[in-house]
């Protein structure tokens, strides 16, 4: 039986899980030295004092450390999940019980509950929002543009109870926002291009200390981890098809190869395809890869990358997983129409029968690393969430001068995070000598 905190200021599965959540959050904290330093400074300086912050993030042990850091900075934090399957219920309980943070997230919540939780985060009336996939900002913009039919029903019904003045105040109250992932940044840049963005947004994903490490090494390792936990397949000797050779795809291809797979890459960008070819992978269209692959993983941020025509061509027993942000990369609606199933054969593994063959879809096509494993290791999220904490502070300090556009975190802050991380890892580097500085800044010197 589960105990819920429904109706209270939070909605989590079971508060009695809090002790386990605390133990696991403390374990993650050991690998998050940069965020710890920021938390210590935030405790002294309270840069977020008096601010209401609504975050829509994967509710994991690492996010718990971020939420506590933001609270230490003085923010009144509300947190909802950014994916129905990624919430760690013990962590949600810990944040509510031990820190009094408002949390709205339950692992496996249905679509209506997911959006009820987004509504609760909006009803917190944030000064700052923090997104992973732009769901909060997306809803705020549908409200601003009076496109209520585009809101999910739980949010729409609530907005309909607000007066016009109140709706305007809700949006106008947001001084700025931060966005964690590639997919969210793409959506936000499209809004800025169309001239509809209502407030400045800091694209945390665009920091080098985010995408170079989180997307590449975090997604790389945890995607393989998720597939292995879900299936317990032997990677060595298998053929793994990686769709998308961006930051996440590069990382995953590297780890799959390291585990002994023959890796095939599919791409639509000639430069990325060339890079994959020169990195030693086979590159081909998905139609050619389909009959050859054993495991297919999408990491593109695009839609319907694996379609029924591909699935029909696959071997009996092919495994399909997604690690891109939304569950649209595998055409599950098409599969539902064309195939019989699903039969759940193992937790996170659904069997579909298609023309006398079977394909196995993992975690309903949702982020496999967060659904079946624990998401990125804390050490990598240390840098991503150091960026998030500093981005929130940056919004507070610079909201007035920031334009309604998508901004990067200043490069000095990015470099500072890298310096702190190196120091925490006990790695020292050289500094430029005066002679080298002069050499690099002059144009007269040649051979
Ligand atoms: N699983 C996670 O924890 C996690 C972490 C970070 C990012 N993400 C998500 O993963 C996705 C990829 O992020 P990224 O940072 O690697 O983005 P990216 O832009 O660096 O790479 C995406 C790549 O996919 C390619 N692509 C697009 N459509 C394609 C298609 N039809 N077939 C083959 N390739 C195609 C693009 O050319 C590009 O090279 C995004 O949705 C992002 O939000 C997930």
């Amino acid at each position: 039986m589960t105990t819920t905190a429904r109706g209270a200021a939070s909605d989590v599965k079971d508060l009695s899980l809090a002790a386990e959540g605390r133990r696991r959050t403390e374990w993650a904290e050991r690998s998050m030295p940069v965020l710890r330093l920021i938390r210590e400074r935030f405790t002294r300086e309270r840069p977020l004092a008096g601010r209401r912050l609504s975050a829509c993030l994967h509710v994991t042990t690492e996010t718990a450390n971020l939420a506590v850091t933001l609270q230490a900075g003085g923010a009144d934090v509300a947190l909802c999940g950014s994916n129905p399957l990624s919430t760690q219920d013990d962590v949600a309980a810990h944040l509510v019980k031990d820190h009094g943070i408002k949390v709205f997230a339950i692992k496996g919540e249905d679509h209506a509950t997911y959006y009820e939780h987004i509504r609760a985060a909006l009803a917190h009336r944030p000064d700052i929002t923090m997104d992973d996939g732009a769901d909060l900002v997306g809803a705020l913009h549908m409200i601003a543009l009076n496109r209520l039919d585009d809101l999910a029903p739980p949010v729409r019904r609530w907005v309909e109870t607000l007066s016009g003045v109140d709706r305007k105040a809700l949006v106008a109250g947001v001084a700025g926002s931060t966005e964690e992932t590639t997919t969210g940044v793409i959506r936000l840049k499209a809004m800025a291009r169309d001239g509809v963005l209502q407030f400045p947004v800091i694209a945390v994903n665009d920091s080098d200390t985010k995408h170079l490490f989180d997307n590449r090494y975090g997604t790389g390792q945890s995607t393989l981890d998720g597939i292995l936990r879900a299936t317990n397949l032997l990677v060595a000797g298998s053929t793994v098809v990686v769709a998308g050779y961006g930051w996440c795809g590069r990382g995953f291809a590297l780890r799959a190869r390291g585990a002994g797979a023959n890796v095939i890459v599919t791409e639509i960008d000639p430069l990325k395809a060339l890079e994959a070819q020169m990195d030693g992978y086979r590159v081909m269209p998905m139609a050619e890869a389909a009959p050859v692959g054993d495991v297919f993983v999408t990491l593109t941020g695009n839609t319907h990358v694996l379609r029924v025509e591909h699935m029909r061509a696959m071997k009996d027993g092919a495994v399909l997983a997604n690690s891109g942000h939304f569950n649209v990369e595998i055409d599950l609606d098409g599969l539902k129409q064309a195939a019989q199933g699903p039969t759940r054969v193992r937790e996170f593994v659904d069997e579909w029968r298609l023309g006398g063959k079977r394909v196995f879809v993992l975690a309903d096509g949702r982020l496999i690393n967060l659904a079946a494993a624990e998401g990125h290791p804390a050490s990598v999220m240390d840098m991503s969430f150091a960026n998030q904490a500093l981005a929130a502070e940056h919004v507070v300090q610079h909201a007035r001068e920031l334009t309604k556009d998508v901004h990067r975190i200043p490069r000095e802050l990015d470099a500072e995070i890298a310096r702190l991380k190196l120091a925490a890892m006990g790695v020292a580097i050289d500094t430029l000598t005066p002679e080298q500085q002069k050499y690099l800044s002059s144009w007269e010197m040649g051979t």
Side-chain angles (χ1 to χ4, degrees):
M1 199 183 87
T2 59
T3 309
T4 69
R6 261 175 214 279
S10 290
D11 190 13
V12 299
K13 184 176 179 196
D14 183 352
L15 286 176
S16 74
L17 301 172
E20 176 64 9
R22 178 167 48 75
R23 273 192 293 278
R24 293 200 315 108
T25 299
E26 284 170 1
W27 172 256
E29 203 252 352
R30 292 157 45 102
S31 301
M32 303 183 86
V34 179
L35 194 62
R36 192 182 320 129
L37 284 175
I38 293 173
R39 186 185 305 173
E40 284 163 15
R41 178 171 69 75
F42 273 20
T43 306
R44 290 191 305 276
E45 298 177 5
R46 308 271 292 168
L48 309 178
R51 302 299 175 136
R52 283 186 309 278
L53 191 151
S54 292
C56 179
L57 300 171
H58 302 294
V59 181
T60 62
T61 52
E62 296 79 19
T63 302
N65 280 296
L66 171 64
V68 172
T69 300
L70 298 169
Q71 189 184 49
D76 177 2
V77 180
L79 173 66
C80 65
S82 57
N83 182 297
L85 280 187
S86 63
T87 298
Q88 297 170 4
D89 290 317
D90 56 342
V91 171
H94 158 58
L95 285 174
V96 175
K97 195 163 178 193
D98 300 328
H99 294 282
I101 289 175
K102 302 171 188 72
V103 183
F104 308 93
I106 298 172
K107 184 164 179 133
E109 61 196 11
D110 61 18
H111 188 260
T113 310
Y114 179 78
Y115 279 100
E116 168 53 27
H117 289 161
I118 297 255
R119 183 209 65 78
L122 293 174
H124 186 56
R125 307 267 171 169
D127 305 295
I128 305 167
T129 67
M130 199 170 265
D131 259 316
D132 188 333
D135 276 349
L136 281 184
V137 164
L140 281 165
H141 280 75
M142 291 308 167
I143 297 167
L145 301 173
N146 206 24
R147 287 175 50 180
L148 302 196
D149 286 345
D150 291 320
L151 290 168
V155 184
R156 190 182 65 233
R157 282 194 294 272
W158 172 67
V159 173
E160 281 167 351
T161 67
L162 305 178
S163 68
V165 174
D166 207 8
R167 289 177 203 174
K168 281 207 176 84
L170 175 69
V171 179
V174 180
S177 183
T178 72
E179 170 54 51
E180 173 79 6
T181 198
T182 313
T183 285
V185 171
I186 290 171
R187 288 168 85 182
L188 292 160
K189 285 186 177 162
M191 285 170 163
R193 218 174 30 244
D194 289 350
V196 296
L197 198 62
Q198 304 287 314
F199 37 75
V201 182
I202 309 292
V204 165
N205 186 72
D206 289 359
S207 296
D208 289 341
T209 47
K210 200 283 184 179
H211 62 256
L212 286 174
F213 303 94
D214 169 318
N215 300 29
R216 184 163 41 173
Y217 300 112
T219 312
Q221 178 173 309
S222 61
T223 299
L224 187 61
D225 184 20
I227 293 169
L228 293 182
R229 290 199 206 190
T231 63
N232 199 25
L233 286 174
L234 180 68
V235 183
S238 68
T239 298
V240 173
V241 179
V242 181
Y245 202 63
W247 293 111
C248 295
R250 287 180 185 106
F252 175 66
L254 195 64
R255 293 296 161 243
R257 178 159 70 185
N262 297 301
V263 175
I264 294 174
V265 170
T266 71
E267 252 295 345
I268 45 103
D269 179 328
L271 272 175
K272 304 276 179 59
L274 187 59
E275 187 183 352
Q277 179 73 20
M278 293 212 183
D279 283 348
Y281 302 109
R282 283 187 289 162
V283 177
M284 60 185 77
M286 186 58 85
E288 280 176 37
V292 186
D294 299 303
V295 178
F296 294 80
V297 185
T298 51
L299 306 106
T300 70
N302 205 342
T303 188
H304 292 182
V305 176
L306 278 177
R307 297 184 290 279
V308 174
E309 74 220 47
H310 301 132
M311 299 174 206
R312 285 193 195 285
M314 288 174 187
K315 294 185 210 169
D316 179 37
V319 170
L320 281 58
N322 168 52
S323 209
H325 188 78
F326 286 119
N327 59 337
V328 295
E329 303 213 12
I330 302 172
D331 179 10
L332 286 176
D333 289 336
L335 182 63
K336 267 177 209 152
Q337 297 200 342
Q340 287 87 52
T343 308
R344 178 130 309 182
V345 292
R346 232 175 115 94
E347 196 182 8
F348 303 117
V349 185
D350 281 344
E351 175 186 303
W352 292 87
R353 292 198 162 265
L354 185 64
K357 287 188 291 192
R358 294 161 305 165
V359 293
F360 296 101
V361 176
L362 307 189
D364 299 326
R366 294 192 187 277
L367 295 159
I368 185 64
N369 60 333
L370 281 141
E374 294 172 65
H376 295 358
S379 176
V380 107
M381 292 314 291
D382 188 26
M383 287 187 285
S384 305
F385 284 166
N387 273 285
Q388 281 286 13
L390 296 185
E393 183 181 34
H394 190 70
V395 166
V396 170
Q397 288 172 343
H398 299 282
R400 279 172 203 279
E401 67 252 37
L402 285 171
T403 52
K404 291 177 182 177
D405 207 339
V406 180
H407 303 268
R408 267 187 72 126
I409 201 165
R411 286 192 182 273
E412 318 81 75
L413 294 180
D414 208 357
E416 182 59 19
I417 291 170
R419 252 191 301 276
L420 291 172
K421 189 70 178 174
L422 280 171
M425 294 168 108
V427 177
I429 59 170
D430 285 325
T431 46
L432 290 171
T433 64
E435 184 197 19
Q436 288 167 343
Q437 271 176 6
K438 190 168 167 221
Y439 179 78
L440 290 177
S441 59
S442 69
W443 54 269
E444 292 100 337
M445 285 180 245
T447 339

